[in-house]
Every structure is written in structure tokens, then in C-alpha cells.
Amino acid sequence: MSFLTALVVFVVGIVSGTIVRWFAGLAAIVALVLVVLGFATPDIALVNYVVERYYVGNELLFLSGLLFGIDAKQTKEVVVER
């Protein structure tokens, strides 16, 4: 994996974490409705391409970015206090 690919996957994780932090309740409700209705995995060619090409095999890198994005506000507050 190239450095640029790793950086892009990590940034996508950070952005996703930030979005999850902002809209966690809404995202959970929408996800539940999609699962109940059977639309949890829409067949969109671009989404499938991106998932197969970049996400598969990079789950931990994405997860690290996601968690960093979720905790970025708290981390910033701690750093500012010090």
C-alpha cells in the first residue's frame, strides 16, 4: 500500500468519525431502518468499487481514523488545557 493510499484511507476514517460524532443518534436510527427494510447494502457501483478497492484489507487503518475523528474534540480540549 502506498503512503498516499494509507493517508486517504486514514483521512476518510477521520471524516467518518467526525460525522459519526455529530450525527450518531440519527445514523443509528437510519441504519436500523435500513437493516429492517433490507436496504443495508445498496447496490451502487461506485460504492462497491471503493469498498473493494480501498477499504477491504485496510479496516484497521479506517477504524483508527474513525476513532481519532470521534475523539478529536476531547483530544483538542486536553491538549489546549496542557
Side-chain angles (χ1 to χ4, degrees), residues 18-53:
T18 303
I19 291 170
V20 168
R21 185 182 72 235
W22 289 343
F23 301 106
L26 180 61
I29 291 169
V30 169
L32 180 63
V33 169
L34 289 175
V35 168
V36 168
L37 296 177
F39 297 114
T41 55
D43 190 22
I44 301 172
L46 179 62
V47 172
N48 291 337
Y49 174 77
V50 170
V51 167
E52 291 172 1
R53 175 84 180 185

